[in-house]
Amino acid sequence: KWIMSAKKNKYIIKDKNLLVYLIIPMLNEQKIAKNTYLNFKQLTQKMTNVRVMFVTTSKEVKKDGNLTTYEILKELIKNDDKIFLCNYPKKTGVMAHQLN
């Protein structure tokens, strides 16, 4: 909501040449991954200088043969030039490691 209210918010930079990256860490988010992607896709379509980076982790384990959050997002963003996906390859660590 904060980002979408950019016209009212004095803190949003109005320089269209400046890219704003939103980094979204995700772990065990299979149930909401698609809707989360679609919400941020809508945002990037409205705001041309916004990019989104989803960060998943190999710490996530497949449950009941379902796809991981990484696998779901990978399929969704394959043709998207404003949304990116990065996977933290280790199975140890905390969210700070995942984001770094």
Side-chain angles (χ1 to χ4, degrees):
K1 290 180 182 179
W2 181 80
I3 294 168
M4 295 307 287
S5 67
K7 293 177 184 170
K8 301 173 192 171
N9 195 322
K10 64 182 179 181
Y11 300 107
I12 296 289
I13 298 171
K14 296 179 182 181
D15 181 354
K16 296 295 181 191
N17 295 317
L18 180 69
L19 287 178
V20 176
Y21 281 85
L22 303 174
I23 302 171
I24 313 298
M26 299 186 78
L27 173 63
N28 295 324
E29 305 285 358
Q30 294 92 331
K31 291 181 181 180
I32 65 165
K34 183 175 182 180
N35 284 338
T36 302
Y37 164 76
L38 293 173
N39 285 330
F40 282 104
K41 180 173 180 64
Q42 186 178 41
L43 174 71
T44 61
Q45 289 173 338
K46 289 181 182 179
M47 300 182 78
T48 58
N49 63 331
V50 172
R51 302 294 183 269
V52 176
M53 171 70 74
F54 288 109
V55 182
T56 59
T57 175
S58 293
K59 187 184 224 181
E60 188 172 294
V61 179
K62 285 187 179 187
K63 295 179 184 174
D64 302 323
N66 294 325
L67 299 174
T68 63
T69 304
Y70 172 79
E71 292 167 332
I72 293 168
L73 290 171
K74 184 178 178 185
E75 184 63 28
L76 289 168
I77 70 166
K78 64 183 174 185
N79 294 318
D80 199 316
D81 62 345
K82 293 183 179 179
I83 299 180
F84 307 95
L85 178 61
C86 179
N87 187 62
Y88 179 67
K90 297 183 181 178
K91 295 185 180 196
T92 59
V94 296
M95 188 187 314
H97 296 116
Q98 182 181 354
L99 292 174
N100 285 335

